[in-house]
Amino acid sequence: MSVDTVSLTGWGRTAPTTAVRFRPRTHEEAAAAVRGRGPRGVIARGLGRSPGDAAQNAGGSVLDLTGLARIGGVDAAGAVRCDAGVSLERLLRVLLPLGWLPPVVPGTGRVTVGGAIASDLPGLDHRRSGSFARHVSALELLTADGEVRTVLPGTALFDATAGGLGLTGVILGATLRLRRVPTALMSVSTERAEDLDDLLARFTAGGDRLPYASAWIDLMARGRAAGRGILTRGEHATPDMRPAHAGRTLLAPLSGGARGRFRLPGCPPVPGGLFGPAPAALYNEVRYRGAPRARTGELRPVGAFFHAADAYPDANLLYGRGGLVRYRFTVGYGQEETLHRVVRRIAGRRGPAVRAVLQRFGAAAPGGLSFAAPGWSLALDLPAALPGLARFLDDVDEEVAAAGGRVCLAKDSRMRPEAAAAMYPGLAGFQELRARLDPTEAFRSDLSRRLGL
């Protein structure tokens, strides 16, 4: 097991802190690191894709689990056991040629299985499939006493661990229930919406006939065009939909891998960020006008559909030396006016928002800190150095909380503890369970200290 001292941030590159990093290769090495933790505790870390500080631990220890990356065989029932350090991208590459897909596929493959469970990530078909942990039939959890437990769904410990941000223990591995797919292609429909009302109407008009759906919103547009966007929906293509030249590639590995990525080799963060208000507005205008008014039946590789953003792994460098803040919140159905107000506030502020994704969520998970709940979810990125951003987002927090909504803790880098307590009614129960299981607070992070989790 290698050990070093490093400065770490989340993908947003805000608030770096220094910790001792352990890189275990076995469960025994991971257990030894937990037993030998210092007074500042320990937290698990995967690929560092969380934009905030959930996988940082100032002055303490961090367990880098990327060395635990074994994938077992798929059994007859469509289940696979894998280590927590396996990335969803790699899992997809292994499973897809066999006709299987991970149970929930979020918008990036640069997340580990352990991170997906600890964040209880939602995918593009949350209304049908729920969040990631719903499809975990067992997980192996390293607890504060250095022992490894098998934890099953329906137990309090499982529910607390799903979405628990690594604060109940270190997830070492899990057994996942997979989804059978007929091809490695997606049949995709795209349509433009003139404003937010039009976009919401288009979202709901088709029901869930196409299970995967998300929309890009132009948060620079104002007036009558406020909230305009591009809605993209998809379903798994069947063999009869394939192009004539597809031949025997129906379940070939997904395209758009590392060789197809656009990188910025050796490029430091752009000092003031690439996008100011005027360039961002121009970019959004070109993107909106360049999308088809309506198109159906377009075939895309699975990877290009789910993980288009992964083609630009260095995109976080474009937000300036201060990094980026990802703000993701959800409000319930019937609270569309709150969504309208937030969109108008962001557009009126003229923050250079080029990434903004709207989704619909279904039933909530039982985890006390799980994010997804029935309603609308909006995620956006803004330069962290934007003047007045902290106060502006504090105000949005209050509006979201007043509407019964919540901000995603796994993405957060700046929320206040009183806001988190108001948004998550299950927090008190989570804290009580954690106090019983881990009275010495072995598992801590910068996020848990900042929010009092």
Side-chain angles (χ1 to χ4, degrees), residues 188-194 198-199 201-206 209-210 213-216 228-233 288 291-296 298 300:
V188 181
S189 73
T190 306
E191 52 191 303
R192 274 185 356 205
E194 296 179 354
D198 186 23
L199 184 58
R202 290 173 184 270
F203 246 116
T204 56
R209 183 182 64 82
L210 299 180
S214 68
W216 169 79
R228 69 180 181 179
I230 304 167
L231 174 61
T232 303
R233 291 185 281 197
Y288 179 77
R293 290 186 179 276
R295 180 174 60 196
T296 60
E298 178 194 7
R300 296 185 197 173

Side-chain angles (χ1 to χ4, degrees), residues 47-50 87-89 107-112 261 307 310 313:
L47 292 168
R49 192 70 181 194
S50 172
S87 74
L88 298 189
E89 179 184 53
T108 176
R110 297 285 297 163
V111 179
T112 61
R261 291 178 182 162
H307 298 155
D310 288 350

